[in-house]
Amino acid sequence: MKLSPTWLREFVDAKVDDRRLAQDLSSVGIAVENISGEGKNAVFEMEIGTNRPDAMNHYGVAREASAIYNLPLRAVDSKLPATPGNAEFTVEIADQGGCARYTARIVRDVSIKPSPDAIAKRLILVDQRTINNAADATNYALWEMGHPTHVFDLDLLEGGKILVRRAFTGETIKTLDGVERKLTPEDLVIADAVKPVALAGVMGGFDTMITDKTRNVLIEAAWFDPATIRKSSRRHALHTDASHRFERGADFDATTKACDRVAALILESAGGKLAGLAIDAVARQVDLAPVALHLSDVHRILGERLETNEIFRILQQLGFELMPERGGDPDFTVHIPSWRLDVEREIDLVEEIARLHGYDKFANTLPAYAGAVVEAPDAEKDNKLRTALLALGYDEAVSLTFISHEDAETFSSAPVIELANPQSEEASVMRSSLVPGMLNMLAYNLNRGTDSVRLFEAGSVFEATDDGTSEPKRICMGATSPPLQNAQGWGTHDGGFFDLKGDVENLLRAFEHKSLKYDAQTADYYYPGRSARALMDGALVAQFGQIHPNISAVRRLRQNVFIAELYLDRLFPQGLRAVRYQALPRYPAVERDFSFVFEDGVTFEKIQTAVIGLGLTELRSFVPVEIFRGGNVPAGNYSLLLRARFQSYARTLREDEVAHWSAQILKALEGLGGKLRA
Amino acid sequence: MAYTVPKLKDHSAKALDKASDNLLAALEKESKAVKNEEEWKIFRDRWMARKNGVLTQINDLWLKAAPVEAKPVFGQKVNWLKKHVEGMVEVTNKRLLFAQLPAKHVKSKKKIKVETIDLDAFARDLKHGLIASQSLDITLPGIRRPLGSEHPVIKTIHEIVSVFRNLGYSVQEGPVIETDYYNFEALNFPPNHPARDTQDTLFIACQESKPQRERLLLRTHTSPVQIRTMENMKPPVRIVIPGKVHRNDPPDASHSPMFHQVEGLAVDTNITFCDLKGTLDHAMKALFGSSVKTSFRPSFFPFTEPSAEMMVSCFICGGSGKRGAEPCRPCKQTGWIEILGCGMVDPNVYGFVDYDPKKVSGFAFGMGADRIAILKYGVDDIQLFFNGDVRFLEQFG
Ligand SMILES: [Zn+2]
């Protein structure tokens, strides 16, 4: 919204320059965002809060300036020649709820032509289009004093009357913008005896508008119910300067002033003469209830004791009337000016006082506090995983929370949550998986020539449930790298499945568990045989592996991509692993290697289970060291070198007992069909 | 091709080093190739046989052929090679023994000694300048274990949260998909109120059959958590609320339909506007440095009254509006940056959570973490935060 400081100064004689005026207005909440132009052509770009329709015009802002500088506020000039007698016209308000007041005036014998320069220039300065002298008069009055008005071609109104009513079902109106609109009984219309002639408070009708041929005009200045106007404006997707103000609450007392001001402007620019007195139909009073003001509350909220004189002065300057109360409870009864529909409670007055006093004048204090900081339940677990992921070399990433229907179906079986007003089909449902977002980010990097990427995202996914929605927390990791990552050739970190599994193990290790098993029953978007699920104490806590080649193809991923998903809602109940200190052994460990050939179906998990099942107390670890296929190992088999490590906390182990345990292990391995390699 | 001992034309130390490196490489290769006892014997004889073994050959072809002045250096080297070859032949044998499991098919690894540092040889090499040729080029780049980088927005959120935690605020979180009631109504945005228009809302589909207050939407601010917390807790309340929020803003350099907020709420007896100012002034100094100043101007939020917008003196240009001769862009040359919205909790809000506005008062504030990260790091496009480009992310590591 644009305002002209020159226009504004017609109502208040501010002694400061434009720049200072802008600053001072901003500091009381009438924000001037920018100043353009110089001298008489200077323009303030304003940002007025939705609660202050009264300040969306020059006069309203001048009132604020008068309060800031403690200066008188000049009235808007709307003197009219005396025109006794009644206008030959009827105004009837059939819908009291929608329209509380309708003031009209008739001017006859006008000549419609372009507005005089002075009017046109001002309108153009504040970015308004000029139309003709009558229409411009309403616009000028709007920007001057804020009340929306409308002018009709009187001779096109049938039946000599205005009726404010709800529209009938099936009724239509062509509005000023040329659009034919279907009306419903929820719409409030201005009608003549036959047809609707304006969509009340939003836009006038096309067929009754002012044209070059217009000789006689009817000026409308009304007060409409904010909610009614808002609904109409929304229903017809028609947001106008008038609806903007009516839906925020107009000034009930201003209808006569606005009507007079428009009449005065028309008489000045279009000639003609007034036909009788104003017609002022009042269906109901819009009274703003007085508010009790306790100085103790002002102090309690603001924290500083302001001078009563200053409080009194500030409120009076803004148009409030303060009546001192004898008993002091309250200290004042405050009458609210008709243009301040936003002030209904004592706290609203407290704000007015603080605002005009100046926020920066209040002291900075720190409140005392007796409570304690309560840790969020998952904070420690979140932090543990995040720290570990960063240490493992994954960059922390954040992706958007929307995905496409197609991705939702591919990456999740959970019922999806759709948006009613999505920005695009690609972003039409709430993400039910972090995987598509991760794949997008990996692809983004690959497409820009970054081929070695490790990312993680911690965040919620969104699922529809029987009684609403749930937002389970997850972590998704994504990794991709070219086949030979290390020119230095250590080769251990090849970015493949076991690299990823090692990272997953490192993360899961932080949680308390009795068992941790892996199976191959992964979701369809994983590469079968190169992906796994982790089951911790029977609960599915993670799923990871290479992404399915079909998905890679569709997304044009030109490298193998690995993904891991951690289901925090199932992992966190396990609790963080408690640290259990064990004294370091004082006796040497003994290692034994076992070189076996197994059939392919014998997994390491089976071997491990069998060996652990022996219950050898002194067996500290049992790990695979080397796997070999081909050569003289028969097809469908593999050679596995295993290493057992024995150690006692109580004594040095004897050769014969180690030999005995080794024999037991040997037997267990043979029990799985393993053949000892010579 | 099998290794043969070359004759040396050049008798410099450098040429000798090269020849000995070749010999050692061959030794290593041949040792690895040995598969069984028979092969090992051939291997042993080839290198150690008196007659025509490699060791004998280098004695003849290198040491004896060397001119007098080079003899000391050649002597040392040949001796050292001899020891090395002998050691390797023995290690090769042990490896074979170990591979053939003994009677019980189990073998202790412990007994194998692979190599120990020969301090005498080291001292000799040092003396004869042989070490330099074997040492590493320490100017080559190190092999780095990758470290992950914190996301700048998450990092900023953590910094803000930490400042308020130190002031006694506990972290609270809440759902992203909210009801109309928590996102609007209980925050004093009545149905059909124009203030709702300022928060372009993304709505969940198929909610028409529900009463308005139960309809689902994506929260436009983290403020609903204020209500959820007060419903479950009596004053005093001090909470800080980080989280994702959504608005129907088309993405561009400064807008994203998803972004992050950190809100705070303090409610107690006797919390005042001065406390609001003091708390936020303190927090900004903790976040941006003790020299920043704060300024408050009136604003409008339905759930606070009085409401304010807080500005901090520009921490880029120090409030001067200029960076050298250039205008300061982050503050648009004003020396001030709008950083958050705040205010005293509106008494209507207390009505929704059953607090007595005559007895308690409080303040709330909220800031955009993405915006603060943008200002802090001079990022010119908010989209960079959400596309996972590691070239961007790794700058924050
Ligand atoms: Zn600056």
Side-chain angles (χ1 to χ4, degrees), chain A residues 23 26-29 33 49-51 230-231 234 247-248 294 297 299-304 345-351 354-355 359-369 371-376 386 389-402 417-423 430-431 440-441 444-445 448 450 452-455 457-459 462 468-469 471 473 486 488 490 589-594 643 656 659-660 662 666 676-678, chain B residues 98-99 101 104-110 142-144 146-151 154-155 158 165 167-171 173-177 188 192-198 201-206 216 218 236-238 244 246-251 256-258 260 268 270-279 281-282 294-300 304-308 338 344 346-348 357-361 363 385-391 393-394:
Chain A
Q23 275 173 16
S26 296
S27 72
V28 300
E33 298 285 298
T50 58
N51 60 326
R230 180 176 161 79
K231 278 184 200 156
R234 295 211 121 190
E247 69 181 39
R248 283 162 178 74
H294 304 78
D297 280 338
H299 178 226
R300 183 173 72 94
I301 298 298
L302 296 181
E304 259 179 47
R345 305 163 300 162
E346 186 179 54
I347 193 70
D348 302 327
L349 293 173
V350 172
E351 178 171 63
R355 192 165 73 80
Y359 281 3
D360 283 342
K361 285 192 200 147
F362 288 92
N364 289 343
T365 57
L366 278 175
Y369 185 52
V373 174
V374 182
E375 206 51 80
R386 179 173 186 261
L389 280 160
L390 291 170
L392 288 168
Y394 289 81
D395 291 327
E396 185 172 37
V398 176
S399 69
L400 292 188
T401 33
F402 318 113
I417 299 169
E418 288 182 313
L419 291 173
N421 52 340
Q423 293 191 335
M430 294 308 287
R431 66 181 181 198
N440 287 346
M441 293 193 286
Y444 188 96
N445 281 291
R448 277 156 189 79
T450 313
S452 193
V453 186
R454 288 205 274 183
L455 294 174
E457 177 171 17
F462 303 88
T469 59
E471 303 181 8
K473 284 206 285 184
N486 283 315
Q488 294 91 340
W490 345 318
V590 179
E591 287 184 352
R592 291 290 186 274
D593 284 4
F594 303 83
R643 183 165 297 159
D656 64 323
H660 178 65
S662 300
L666 219 57
L676 191 65
R677 294 197 80 187
Chain B
F98 171 62
L101 291 164
K104 282 181 124 182
H105 308 298
V106 183
K107 177 90 185 91
S108 167
K109 270 188 73 229
K110 212 173 68 180
I143 300 172
R144 293 195 206 173
L147 281 176
S149 301
E150 290 180 87
H151 192 280
I154 309 285
K155 187 176 169 170
H158 285 209
R165 275 177 50 102
L167 288 170
Y169 290 70
S170 301
V171 177
E173 288 176 339
V176 167
I177 299 178
N188 202 29
N192 290 318
H193 196 273
R196 291 184 174 216
D197 295 349
T198 62
T201 310
L202 285 161
F203 297 96
I204 302 299
C206 309
L216 298 175
L218 300 187
V237 169
R238 272 193 192 196
K244 280 189 169 67
H246 295 81
R247 304 235 178 131
N248 196 3
D249 290 325
S256 166
M258 179 198 84
H260 299 80
D268 203 344
N270 292 319
I271 295 244
T272 70
F273 186 69
C274 291
D275 292 335
L276 162 66
K277 286 188 65 201
T279 300
D281 186 72
H282 171 91
T294 54
S295 178
F296 294 75
R297 45 169 67 158
S299 186
F300 172 72
T304 55
E305 184 148 7
S307 299
E338 285 174 18
M344 301 302 289
D346 193 293
N348 284 3
K358 284 279 163 203
K359 294 209 174 93
V360 298
S361 54
F363 59 76
F385 288 143
F386 308 126
N387 56 27
D389 191 330
V390 298
R391 295 171 305 175
L393 294 174
E394 290 181 354

